[in-house]
Amino acid sequence: MAYALQQLINGVTLGMIYGLIAVGYTMVYGIIGMINFAHGDVFMVGSFLSLIALLGLAALGITSVPLALALTLIFAAGIAALYGWTIERVAYRPLRGSFRLAPLISAIGMSITLQNFVQVSQGARVKPIEAIIPGGIQIMDQGGFAVRLSWMQIAIVVITMSILGIFTWLVTKTPLGRTMRACEQDLKMASLLGIDTDRTISLTFVIGAALAAVAGFMFLLYYGVIDFYIGFIAGVKAFTAAVLGGIGSLPGAVLGGLLIGLIEVFWSAYFSVEYKDVAAFAILIVVLIFMPTGILGRAEVEKV
Amino acid sequence: MLSVSGLIMQFGGLRAVDGLSFEAKTGDITAVIGPNGAGKTTVFNCITGFYRPSGGSIDLTHPGGASHKLHTMPGHRIASAAKVARTFQNIRLFAGMTVLENLLVAQHNTLMAATGFGVLAVLGLGRYRAAEAAGIEKAKFWLDAVGLTARADDPAGALPYGAQRRLEIARAMCIDPVLLCLDEPAAGLNPRESDELNQLLMRIRAGGCSLLLIEHDMGVVMRISDHIVVLDHGKKISDGPPAEIRNDPAVIAAYLGEGEEDEVPA
Amino acid sequence: MTALRDAFLSALVALGLFAPLVGLVTTSGEHGLYLELRPIATAVVVGLVFLGRLIVLSRRSRGRAASLAAKPALAERISKAGKYVTPLLLIAAVALPFTGSRYYIDLGTLVLTYIMLGWGLNIVVGLAGLLDLGYVAFYAVGAYSFALLATNFGLGFWTCLPLAGIFAAFAGVMLGFPVLRLRGDYLAIVTLAFGEIIRVVLINWVSLTNGPNGITGIPRPTLFGLALSMDGGPGTIAGFFNVEPAVIQRIIFLYYVILGLALLTNWVSLRLRRMPLGRAWEALREDEVACRSLGINVRNTKLTAFGIGAIFGGFAGAFFATRQAFISPESFTFIESATVLAIVVLGGLGSQLGVALAAIVMVGGLETLRDFLSFLGDQMNSPLFSGIASELPLYRMLIFGLALVVMMVLRPRGLVSGRTPSVALHKVKDIAPDLVAQGRG
Ligand SMILES: Nc1ncnc2c1ncn2[C@@H]1O[C@H](COP(=O)(O)OP(=O)(O)OP(=O)(O)O)[C@@H](O)[C@H]1O
Ligand SMILES: [Mg+2]
């Protein structure tokens, strides 16, 4: 019981990170119908940017932890947003309206580029840091097994929740969100109605990249170690989460992220760590067989 | 030949077809008409297995006596075993393949049977060569019938609209159907093309294939159909020979109530 | 003037992008990580972006009208040239071992392996229009089934080759059966997941696969029962032909084996394209709904595409195992699937010649680049560049990634686009690429 509770806590934390990345996949997919393969690598870039910012701030002598974290978050999200914008401009926009596979290959190319760019510029070694927010609280003690909730986990859940809150407000209540949803419904129609679709698509990439950078920041804080390769695995998992939740659906992305996080953690805890990825993917396959458009995806009956 | 009874098709809260029953006789041209959104295409989709009906039954009896319960069969079996062919309201050709290839794809099952599971044919053995020659002959026959022989080697997607409509009919005929379902074949045709279409349909009927036809063009409907079923909001409001339908107050009310919509094919 | 301003803005963006990641390097020191400044490198990168942008802009303003007019002509020329390129390539491929250069033969073997994989995947992606991001799984199944059969039961290459194909096809059908009704990107992610599952299983099922350490001592193929061994005794090729045994003989022999396998793949796909099955694949790519209305069993037809594509993946895998004599899960990562898919798309979906050209450009080009870079590294012995020089081979994948982006932006439809009809009543006329669908599966 206590053990399961601990896994639940860990799973939710991990799921939050996946969910944040998945939102970026789902947004881009919803609006231009492509898998932005490089998104996972933007997440990785975001966590490197966070690491650099933290080290830089420490070198500058800023010791207040909340201030350092806030500045890091802003820095990482800002620069990652610039990455998102550039990627769209360079690799996807010229291919807009082109054949389906060209943007996908371009995206895979971008992913390889980013990965190797970071490997070359920052080195291939893993980058460990010390815990920034150590400690936590003990919620329960059952038969010698202590259930712990670290400050870090609380911070992750709180930050994710508030970012998602802001994001939901942005999409549902603001004119920007309205244009985004309009483009998602029908890009061509939206542009005929005078919406600047290029700008909207750019903004989608910018927002998605910023969210991925937040996830990267939290990944760094939570695990305390990153390398240039984390983007691929986390990206595939997050994309799996987006598909599981029903691609195109924002709540679905978060839900899918939580599910993948929980599956992974529980599987590692009760069965085997080695096969945790297999478990996540196998469940994806099973879910898709019974719900071909994911959990919250719109059922698409093709009109003929 | 075709007997639909108590057919229901429910989409979430919307009942697109609501307890529809009608018969189509062997050798007849049966027309299904009704205002936009009446559920005509949905009926076709149920008959040809694209949608599984929420209720009711669809039975097809071949002239030879064999009978099929279409509401239980998967879509591809309805074409291959029950021999029901169809065309689509929005033309669906294999745009990147030539006209001839389109007609050969339609004979897939016959040709495939001659390839000995593909292995023999790949090796150049077996009777595939003869089967393919026969397939091309059949394709030629239908190309001739729809006047597309000269364009046999052009990509289907490059044909003008009217020719695409005719090609779609020819392709459907290549499966040797006993019942051909046409979804608004005259939509977008000019009067001359429309006349040619009428002749083609009469010719198909003369060849022993029954027809089920959705059409908005009343001229075409009144001239060629033997029997008309009128739908509105998923329900049958009238059923009978053209002369009778023309004077049915319920039909007139349904159309007038819907304004000019019957002239605007979707 | 606008060009200058534009280039300046690009440089500004580049500064934002590269200043943190290039200019500030996380380096491990005594007390954990610290940041090292690298201003020169940053300036160089930003300067390159500035110059590059300027060049692109000036060429664009000058060459736009001309390039638009030249485009259809170019496409036509390529498809015309195809008639001569194919036999030339074939002759070159057969003649390559006569150069006697081990380096070229090795490179040729590698390129041919990718050509074969590309042709195999082309059946699935190019003809049937099913997006498969996990093709490497079948490659792995082929390689491991041969390696395991050979090392555990002492079976030879030629016995195992069909078995490897059958196992791979079996894996393809196993995967395809439940997932082929998924459409588009759902299928893509499931195939990607399948590829990863296979790899994770290979790593962790240590008792069978020896885990990350891989399998060693995989036998080489024989020539009609003659072994390729270095002792030159009776029963070996060298002994039979009464020549001195040499490593080069084995390399040449392997080269011809893969050439034969690749040509087999090509021949079968070309034959199938003219058969009802191949036509049904292409029809599926064009319009699945119409196929169903014509009585084609969509699922079975997709399964055959998946299965047959997998067979060739399996063959290539078995060859890979016998050539390397050693395999480990590391050889079967997603990057392999991505490379093969990129070859198919860059080649022009469905085009056999295009795939071959793309494989030559991408794999051959990549290898040439690797050699060029290490050559450059050797030359640059100045103290400033020595650091960069040692890292140069690392840039290989970076350049590969960028090349993918650039090639797609320049030729989104691939090198050889357009489609040749499989049958004609009067005269075969090529079909313009924009009419041909890419499938949604
Ligand atoms: N797959 C589906 N999912 C939900 N609703 C559907 C679906 N297919 C059809 N409908 C609805 O069913 C109703 C009937 O549609 P249908 O296409 O059958 O009309 P129709 O009589 O063919 O009209 P038209 O003359 O415009 O072709 C419409 O309200 C339509 O929106
Ligand atoms: Mg309709």
Side-chain angles (χ1 to χ4, degrees):
Chain A
M1 177 56 215
Y3 188 60
L5 183 64
Q6 181 71 64
Q7 303 315 321
L8 187 69
I9 293 172
N10 297 350
V12 168
T13 316
L14 183 60
M16 289 281 169
I17 296 179
Y18 286 150
L20 270 181
I21 312 175
V23 167
Y25 276 114
T26 240
M27 271 190 353
V28 168
Y29 190 88
I31 209 157
I32 51 175
M34 74 167 279
I35 305 176
N36 178 13
F37 231 93
H39 190 63
D41 298 284
V42 172
F43 154 81
M44 178 272 296
V45 166
S47 69
F48 266 90
L49 289 169
S50 310
L51 174 65
I52 290 169
L54 283 175
L55 294 176
L57 290 171
L60 292 177
I62 293 175
T63 46
S64 150
V65 171
L67 180 65
L69 291 185
L71 287 178
T72 303
L73 196 60
I74 292 170
F75 174 79
I79 302 286
L82 190 61
Y83 269 91
W85 182 84
T86 313
I87 291 171
E88 195 271 333
R89 261 322 268 273
V90 171
Y92 307 153
R93 188 172 297 179
L95 293 171
R96 184 111 20 96
S98 173
F99 309 99
R100 184 170 69 101
L101 289 176
L104 180 73
I105 299 292
S106 186
I108 291 176
M110 244 321 151
S111 159
I112 296 175
T113 305
L114 283 179
Q115 231 176 70
N116 288 279
F117 165 61
V118 172
Q119 183 187 5
V120 167
S121 63
Q122 297 286 326
R125 296 244 194 92
V126 296
K127 310 277 177 188
I129 57 163
E130 274 162 32
I132 310 257
I133 321 178
I137 45 174
Q138 183 169 331
I139 320 179
M140 199 169 125
D141 193 337
Q142 197 182 51
F145 186 85
V147 180
R148 291 180 48 81
L149 180 59
S150 70
W151 298 126
M152 201 50 248
Q153 288 173 318
I154 296 176
I156 286 179
V157 173
V158 170
I159 295 178
T160 310
M161 286 303 195
S162 33
I163 297 263
L164 284 177
I166 296 172
F167 174 72
T168 312
W169 170 80
L170 198 74
V171 175
T172 52
K173 295 275 157 37
T174 61
L176 168 68
R178 213 160 27 239
T179 53
M180 274 172 63
R181 279 177 296 143
C183 290
E184 193 186 319
Q185 289 281 322
D186 192 335
L187 200 59
K188 212 177 269 165
M189 197 61 204
S191 87
L192 286 177
L193 292 175
I195 293 177
D196 186 346
T197 49
D198 276 347
R199 202 181 73 111
T200 313
I201 293 171
S202 278
L203 271 171
T204 309
F205 274 85
V206 163
I207 296 173
L211 290 179
V214 174
F217 170 65
M218 294 191 309
F219 186 93
L220 172 70
L221 294 187
Y222 190 47
Y223 288 102
V225 51
I226 55 173
D227 62 53
F228 71 97
Y229 198 62
I230 57 170
F232 176 70
I233 300 160
V236 171
K237 294 264 183 61
F239 185 67
T240 305
V243 170
L244 191 60
I247 198 155
S249 151
L250 294 175
V254 179
L255 179 69
L258 281 177
L259 279 177
I260 294 284
L262 287 170
I263 291 167
E264 200 177 310
V265 167
F266 272 91
W267 190 276
S268 315
Y270 289 95
F271 300 101
S272 73
V273 188
E274 292 86 27
Y275 286 104
K276 65 177 202 265
D277 297 352
V278 171
F281 291 141
I283 285 180
L284 169 83
I285 295 180
V286 171
V287 168
L288 283 183
I289 289 170
F290 292 104
M291 283 184 264
T293 48
I295 297 171
L296 295 184
R298 271 173 252 135
E300 46 174 292
V301 181
E302 193 175 9
K303 291 197 181 181
V304 288
Chain B
M1 151 128 276
L2 180 75
S3 141
V4 174
S5 76
L7 184 68
I8 295 172
M9 187 69 225
Q10 186 95 26
F11 295 116
L14 175 81
R15 200 165 258 214
V17 180
D18 191 359
L20 174 71
S21 305
F22 71 91
E23 300 262 338
K25 292 205 189 62
T26 308
D28 270 8
I29 294 184
T30 308
V32 179
I33 64 170
N36 285 118
K40 306 177 294 293
T41 301
T42 307
V43 172
F44 266 35
N45 285 338
C46 291
I47 294 174
T48 52
F50 281 91
Y51 297 158
R52 175 130 307 191
S54 323
S57 65
I58 307 169
D59 294 284
L60 180 85
T61 315
H62 281 199
S67 81
H68 299 273
K69 293 194 181 313
L70 301 188
H71 54 283
T72 60
M73 291 166 74
H76 67 94
R77 296 278 303 154
I78 292 182
S80 61
K83 295 287 177 199
V84 178
R86 73 170 290 177
T87 64
F88 296 89
Q89 187 166 352
N90 315 309
I91 304 177
R92 282 177 172 273
L93 290 170
F94 306 123
M97 303 174 83
T98 64
V99 170
L100 180 64
E101 283 178 312
N102 268 270
L103 299 184
L104 288 180
V105 169
Q107 304 174 47
H108 175 78
N109 289 313
T110 328
L111 292 176
M112 198 61 194
T115 60
F117 295 106
V119 181
L120 292 179
V122 168
L123 297 175
L125 305 170
R127 56 205 167 83
Y128 175 68
R129 209 170 278 274
E132 191 180 61
I136 290 180
E137 279 313 309
K138 189 198 271 181
K140 269 189 189 157
F141 174 80
W142 283 108
L143 281 176
D144 201 39
V146 299
L148 285 174
T149 311
R151 308 213 56 174
D153 299 326
D154 289 337
L159 296 181
Y161 188 80
Q164 294 200 3
R165 283 253 175 241
R166 278 177 285 143
L167 174 59
E168 208 188 11
I169 295 175
R171 187 182 68 180
M173 289 311 295
C174 278
I175 76 168
D176 293 325
V178 296
L179 177 68
L180 174 64
C181 304
L182 300 167
D183 198 343
E184 304 198 10
L189 301 191
N190 63 34
R192 197 177 54 92
E193 288 176 321
S194 190
D195 268 350
E196 285 169 8
L197 177 76
N198 285 355
Q199 276 156 27
L200 176 65
L201 297 190
M202 300 307 253
R203 188 170 162 193
I204 288 174
R205 180 175 64 166
C209 177
S210 316
L211 282 101
L212 197 61
L213 173 74
I214 294 178
E215 195 44 75
H216 277 291
D217 184 335
M218 283 306 143
V220 175
V221 171
M222 291 300 165
R223 232 172 309 145
I224 67 169
S225 48
D226 304 296
H227 187 93
I228 298 179
V229 178
V230 190
L231 284 188
D232 191 18
H233 294 299
K235 289 198 171 78
K236 184 168 82 177
I237 56 170
S238 187
D239 186 353
E244 208 173 283
I245 296 297
R246 208 192 310 253
N247 300 318
D248 188 331
V251 177
I252 296 168
Y255 272 92
L256 291 182
E258 307 267 341
E260 300 269 347
E261 273 184 359
D262 56 321
E263 308 213 347
V264 195
Chain C
M1 203 51 228
T2 42
L4 214 58
R5 206 192 58 194
D6 199 339
F8 180 71
L9 284 179
S10 309
L12 214 61
V13 171
L15 185 68
L17 294 178
F18 299 128
L21 283 177
V22 178
L24 304 168
V25 184
T26 50
T27 321
S28 36
E30 276 168 50
H31 313 286
L33 292 174
Y34 70 98
L35 288 179
E36 202 180 277
L37 295 181
R38 211 161 42 178
I40 299 177
T42 315
V44 168
V45 177
V46 171
L48 283 177
V49 170
F50 180 79
L51 281 180
R53 182 75 188 155
L54 212 56
I55 292 171
V56 168
L57 283 174
S58 69
R59 285 193 47 178
R60 196 184 286 168
S61 60
R62 235 184 302 139
R64 171 160 281 171
S67 79
L68 273 182
K71 240 179 191 158
L74 179 75
E76 207 161 280
R77 230 183 308 144
I78 288 186
S79 74
K80 279 241 175 64
K83 284 198 188 65
Y84 310 102
V85 173
T86 312
L88 277 182
L89 275 184
L90 196 61
I91 292 170
V94 174
L96 183 77
F98 295 106
T99 60
S101 147
R102 176 164 182 186
Y103 173 72
Y104 282 119
I105 301 171
D106 268 338
L107 187 55
T109 311
L110 187 69
V111 171
L112 278 171
T113 312
Y114 278 96
I115 290 181
M116 175 163 177
L117 285 171
W119 279 337
L121 184 62
N122 200 15
I123 293 177
V124 183
V125 181
L127 292 184
L130 302 166
L131 184 48
D132 184 352
L133 288 181
Y135 193 59
V136 73
F138 308 128
Y139 189 46
V141 168
Y144 268 89
S145 31
F146 166 54
L148 290 173
L149 288 171
T151 50
N152 291 333
F153 304 105
L155 296 179
F157 177 74
W158 298 110
T159 327
C160 292
L161 189 65
L163 291 177
I166 289 170
F167 280 123
F170 185 68
V173 172
M174 282 270 290
L175 169 68
F177 203 71
V179 306
L180 277 177
R181 68 197 185 109
L182 300 175
R183 206 175 294 132
D185 306 294
Y186 290 92
L187 181 65
I189 189 69
V190 167
T191 48
L192 191 155
F194 182 71
E196 284 297 298
I197 290 178
I198 295 271
R199 196 174 60 87
V200 173
V201 169
L202 289 180
I203 292 177
N204 290 305
W205 193 352
V206 179
S207 61
L208 181 72
T209 65
N210 201 20
N213 296 331
I215 300 176
T216 50
I218 303 167
R220 307 288 188 177
T222 54
L223 178 67
F224 300 115
L226 297 174
L228 269 168
S229 102
M230 286 306 113
D231 62 20
T236 70
I237 293 183
F240 185 82
F241 291 108
N242 213 355
V243 290
E244 274 298 302
V247 178
I248 191 84
Q249 290 160 0
R250 185 182 75 215
I251 292 170
I252 293 177
F253 175 56
L254 284 172
Y255 175 85
Y256 280 118
V257 169
I258 186 66
L259 181 62
L261 285 174
L263 290 178
L264 175 77
T265 313
N266 184 35
W267 181 72
V268 171
S269 351
L270 285 179
R271 284 302 290 220
L272 280 174
R273 253 198 94 218
R274 285 169 222 283
M275 298 280 137
L277 188 59
R279 271 191 216 119
W281 289 339
E282 292 203 80
L284 269 185
R285 181 192 67 203
E286 297 284 327
D287 194 328
E288 201 175 310
V289 168
C291 281
R292 198 137 59 102
S293 81
L294 297 172
I296 294 176
N297 186 333
V298 170
R299 181 202 268 198
N300 287 359
T301 311
K302 283 184 180 175
L303 269 184
T304 54
F306 235 61
I308 294 178
I311 289 181
F312 293 116
F315 285 172
F319 173 78
F320 176 77
T322 196
R323 176 188 177 220
Q324 302 284 320
F326 161 75
I327 50 169
S328 74
E330 245 170 68
S331 308
F332 307 101
T333 55
F334 169 72
I335 206 85
E336 296 297 318
S337 294
T339 309
V340 179
L341 183 66
I343 287 175
V344 173
V345 175
L346 179 72
L349 288 172
S351 158
Q352 299 293 105
L353 174 63
V355 167
L357 290 177
I360 293 173
V361 170
M362 300 228 328
V363 182
L366 203 61
E367 288 305 308
T368 317
L369 185 69
R370 191 212 321 246
D371 296 326
F372 177 68
L373 286 181
S374 44
F375 171 75
L376 220 61
D378 286 344
Q379 296 300 304
M380 286 196 271
N381 268 329
S382 71
L384 176 63
F385 284 115
S386 61
I388 309 176
S390 67
E391 278 182 9
L392 265 183
L394 278 180
Y395 289 78
R396 199 172 73 96
M397 288 311 285
L398 179 61
I399 294 170
F400 176 66
L402 281 175
L404 278 187
V405 176
V406 172
M407 288 191 295
M408 276 301 118
V409 170
L410 294 182
R411 283 198 79 84
R413 265 262 106 152
L415 294 172
V416 183
S417 43
R419 172 177 177 273
T420 311
S422 60
V423 58
L425 208 52
H426 314 292
K427 183 173 170 293
V428 178
K429 290 183 265 188
D430 275 355
I431 295 174
D434 41 333
L435 286 175
V436 183
Q438 285 203 335
R440 300 193 302 143

